[in-house]
Amino acid sequence: PTLDFSLVGTPEESKFIDSLIAAFQEIGFAYIKNHKIDLDLVKQCFNNGAQFFKLPREAKEKYRRKSLSDFNGYNDSELVYNSSAPDAKEVFNITAACEAKRWPSEVKSFEEATRKLMTERAIFV
């Protein structure tokens, strides 16, 4: 679904929040419009992610998450919520606390663009 961020801070904010929760629980993602984040930066981050996932497996393995409680890094199978079956996907999870050595050095500007995106996102939330 496509959700409208401009509803945040209005009497219809709960509609946005309810729709966002439902999208994450039922589908796993949502597109958000009217978020005020620089679209060129968003495109750069998507491009950086695509470059990372095109790397050979050996390169991606350097960034594998260290444990289930470690939220930063690469993983190529995760358990589906409320299931014992692994989800067939590759992910690179990032939080603001991601250590410098965990950022993929093979993709130029990956860390810089992602940290900038996190900063811009935090301004509007």
Side-chain angles (χ1 to χ4, degrees):
T2 300
L3 308 178
D4 188 354
F5 191 80
S6 68
L7 297 177
V8 174
T10 74
E12 295 186 73
E13 180 174 333
S14 62
K15 177 182 175 182
F16 173 83
I17 293 169
D18 292 343
S19 297
L20 184 64
I21 291 169
F24 286 164
Q25 288 178 337
E26 297 167 15
I27 302 168
F29 72 95
Y31 289 100
I32 299 177
K33 66 180 182 178
N34 299 321
H35 49 67
K36 303 177 186 175
I37 296 174
D38 178 7
L39 289 180
D40 288 335
L41 179 59
V42 172
K43 288 176 185 175
Q44 181 180 8
C45 288
F46 269 99
N47 184 45
N48 288 346
Q51 288 179 48
F52 174 78
F53 290 113
K54 288 180 184 175
L55 293 173
R57 176 171 288 282
E58 302 79 40
K60 294 182 278 192
E61 286 293 332
K62 294 190 302 187
Y63 306 102
R64 182 167 288 282
R65 290 171 30 190
K66 297 174 185 173
S67 69
L68 289 176
S69 62
D70 180 11
F71 297 108
N72 294 303
Y74 171 74
N75 199 2
D76 60 353
S77 68
E78 294 185 329
L79 293 180
V80 178
Y81 181 71
N82 283 339
S83 172
S84 60
D87 194 2
K89 66 180 179 182
E90 287 185 298
V91 298
F92 190 92
N93 295 318
I94 304 169
T95 66
C98 189
E99 303 166 10
K101 65 184 179 205
R102 299 294 293 280
W103 293 90
S105 59
E106 295 87 348
V107 180
K108 185 178 178 181
S109 82
F110 192 104
E111 179 178 5
E112 177 186 353
T114 305
R115 287 197 185 276
K116 185 174 181 183
L117 181 66
M118 284 191 261
T119 301
E120 284 199 22
R121 179 201 47 86
I123 291 170
F124 298 110
V125 177

